[in-house]
């Protein structure tokens, strides 16, 4: 049957591609041959996505969504100025999900919304680009992986290094033995963050639907240093800087080390060594993970100091890979150097991360049905390391983990931190939490 309209075309191409791929296969091709998108969450990263997406000839941003009226209206004006066509501004993401014309959504909300929003989108047949970390906790990460497989849709996690040329080249060199067998990978997050001060409970600003912003998380009073952006320092809503900037470098470390499972052992030291404010996550962390796959042990080390007015090894956020025949010093924003014995420089490459490349990989995978560069499983394994780092630092002990069961071994206190509580009966609380 020859497709006669956009939705019939999507169904037709899905059937054809389904015979060739086990992955998702919905091709966006209306009269104007465009992907129809909604952008949910219009803060710093959401605005970056919006500006880039509005510039693509094969994308139409049809919805902008945020519980802050000022933000969503400003976003709508920006898209109209760029494209000549205004998207519909809405405050409730359900209005985006229920619109059948929308092919995909970009979720750039605070962390506590990442999985609940993604699950709702997948349930309505949308493809999903979700910002990092892909989950607020380890249990939610597993729910996202399972939902992606059920829905047979494309889910891309916003670790854009996975689609950046110089990063992919570095990983190729590492995986092909350029520094021998890699036994240890390090990731660091060394930068100077701001003191958020102390604040008391207050009424939220009139343009913000605070109840909608809190969503399925347990309600807590609004305070002035919670919004915007500083929510990431509060345990109910964020994952600290390990899950913010740190997860990018953790992901690269895990990729280069070549481990595609959870670690077996982890230990950590850290806490609030510097800031006297309302942040609830460590400003200082040193975490060691040990993998023991098939009797072969490897280490991944993560360290962060978010009070540092200087960089480490030439990079504010970076990586080092230690092999039996050399090492690589890596910075996603600058490039990398590969050294052999006696620190002989063998190869180097400059480069910077490409948000546009990550978008293009996501969009290309929708019609092809191929797995994207940062799929849900990839995002889950890397986000889990940030969660493990926070759990181990909080408990101040060595933890043993069962990767298959995704449970800590003989530690009930740690296992309680694998998930979180939700507001009873909330429409966005994930199902399948048993």
């Amino acid at each position: 049957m020859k497709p006669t309209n956009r939705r019939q075309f999507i169904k037709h191409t899905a059937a054809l591609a389904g015979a060739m791929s086990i992955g998702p296969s919905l091709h966006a091709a209306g009269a104007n041959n465009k992907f129809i998108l909604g952008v949910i969450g219009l803060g710093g990263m959401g605005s970056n996505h919006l500006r880039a997406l509005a510039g693509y000839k094969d994308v139409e941003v049809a919805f902008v969504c945020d519980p802050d009226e000022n933000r969503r209206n400003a976003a709508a004006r920006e898209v109209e100025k760029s494209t000549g066509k205004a998207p519909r501004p809405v405050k409730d993401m359900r209005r985006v999900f229920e619109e059948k014309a929308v092919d995909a959504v970009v979720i750039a909300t605070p962390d506590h919304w990442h999985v609940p929003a993604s699950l709702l989108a997948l349930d309505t047949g949308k493809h999903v680009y979700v910002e990092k970390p892909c989950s607020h906790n380890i249990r939610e990460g597993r729910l996202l992986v399972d939902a992606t497989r059920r829905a047979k849709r494309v889910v891309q996690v916003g670790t854009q290094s996975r689609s950046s040329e110089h990063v992919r080249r570095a990983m190729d060199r590492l995986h092909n033995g350029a520094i021998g067998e890699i036994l240890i990978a390090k990731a660091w997050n060394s930068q100077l963050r701001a003191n958020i001060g102390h604040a008391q409970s207050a009424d939220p600003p009139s343009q913000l639907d605070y109840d909608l912003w809190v969503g399925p998380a347990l309600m807590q009073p609004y305070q002035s240093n919670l919004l915007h952006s500083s929510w990431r320092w509060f345990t109910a809503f964020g994952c600290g800087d390990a899950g913010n900037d740190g997860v990018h470098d953790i992901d690269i470390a895990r990729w280069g080390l070549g481990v595609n499972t959870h670690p077996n052992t982890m230990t950590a030291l850290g806490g609030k060594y510097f800031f006297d404010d309302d942040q609830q996550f460590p400003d200082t962390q040193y975490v060691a993970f040990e993998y023991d796959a098939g009797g072969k042990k490897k280490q991944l080390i993560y360290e962060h100091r978010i009070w540092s007015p200087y960089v480490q090894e030439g990079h504010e956020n970076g990586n080092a890979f230690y092999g039996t025949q050399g090492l690589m010093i890596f910075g996603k924003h600058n490039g990398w150097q590969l050294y052999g014995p006696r620190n002989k420089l063998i190869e180097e490459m400059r480069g910077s991360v490409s948000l546009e490349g990550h978008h293009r990989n996501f969009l290309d995978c929708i019609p092809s049905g191929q797995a994207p560069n940062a799929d849900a499983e990839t995002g889950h394994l890397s986000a889990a390391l940030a969660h493990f780092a926070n759990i181990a630092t909080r408990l101040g002990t060595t933890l043993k983990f069962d990767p298959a069961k995704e449970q800590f071994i003989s530690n009930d206190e740690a296992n309680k931190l694998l998930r979180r509580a939700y507001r009873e009966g909330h429409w966005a609380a994930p199902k399948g939490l048993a």
Side-chain angles (χ1 to χ4, degrees), residues 253-268:
R254 188 181 65 79
W255 188 6
L257 194 59
V259 288
N260 293 305
T261 184
H262 294 300
N264 303 90
T265 307
M266 61 208 72
T267 191

Side-chain angles (χ1 to χ4, degrees), residues 98-117:
E98 68 190 16
E99 176 54 61
K100 293 182 180 180
V102 172
D103 299 302
V105 293
V106 174
I107 297 170
T109 62
D111 300 347
H112 72 288
W113 265 111
H114 285 179
V115 167

Side-chain angles (χ1 to χ4, degrees), residues 73-133:
N73 289 340
R77 290 193 296 269
E78 183 170 351
V79 173
E80 183 177 24
K81 182 178 179 181
S82 175
T83 68
K85 185 176 181 180
R88 180 182 169 189
V90 297
K91 74 174 182 177
D92 190 328
M93 65 182 69
R94 287 175 290 184
R95 304 293 82 79
V96 183
F97 302 146
E98 68 190 16
E99 176 54 61
K100 293 182 180 180
V102 172
D103 299 302
V105 293
V106 174
I107 297 170
T109 62
D111 300 347
H112 72 288
W113 265 111
H114 285 179
V115 167
S118 296
L119 298 184
L120 292 168
L122 290 168
D123 283 346
T124 57
K126 313 303 184 197
H127 302 279
V128 174
Y129 183 114
V130 59
E131 261 305 326
K132 54 74 203 165

Side-chain angles (χ1 to χ4, degrees), residues 174-296:
L174 292 176
H175 295 162
N176 282 285
I179 61 172
E181 184 180 8
I182 303 167
L183 299 179
I184 299 175
K186 181 188 287 187
W188 62 82
N189 174 16
S190 177
Q191 59 182 299
L192 179 60
R193 292 292 189 186
N195 187 311
I196 68 170
H198 297 283
Q200 301 298 316
S201 299
D203 292 331
S206 59
Q207 75 272 11
L208 173 68
D209 186 330
Y210 182 64
D211 184 81
L212 190 60
W213 184 90
V214 172
L218 296 179
M219 177 57 70
Q220 71 176 49
Y222 172 85
Q223 57 190 72
S224 60
N225 61 357
L226 176 61
L227 298 179
H228 288 291
S229 80
S230 51
W231 51 261
R232 67 186 78 255
W233 313 130
F234 293 82
T235 56
F237 309 118
C239 301
D241 223 23
N244 179 40
D245 274 3
V247 75
H248 285 292
D249 310 293
I250 288 170
D251 180 60
I252 292 167
R254 188 181 65 79
W255 188 6
L257 194 59
V259 288
N260 293 305
T261 184
H262 294 300
N264 303 90
T265 307
M266 61 208 72
T267 191
L269 291 171
K272 289 187 69 173
Y273 289 11
F274 182 78
F275 288 112
D276 178 10
D277 61 8
D278 287 337
Q279 294 185 58
Q280 296 172 347
F281 285 98
D283 57 32
T284 306
Q285 285 182 281
Y286 194 96
V287 190
F289 303 98
E290 185 176 71
Y291 293 84
D292 188 358
K296 186 65 177 180

Side-chain angles (χ1 to χ4, degrees), residues 14 21 24 48 81-82 120 127 157 162 201 326 335 391 393 414 419 426:
S21 171
N48 290 340
K81 182 178 179 181
S82 175
L120 292 168
H127 302 279
V157 178
R162 292 264 173 176
S201 299
I391 292 170
T393 306
R419 59 186 68 209
H426 194 277

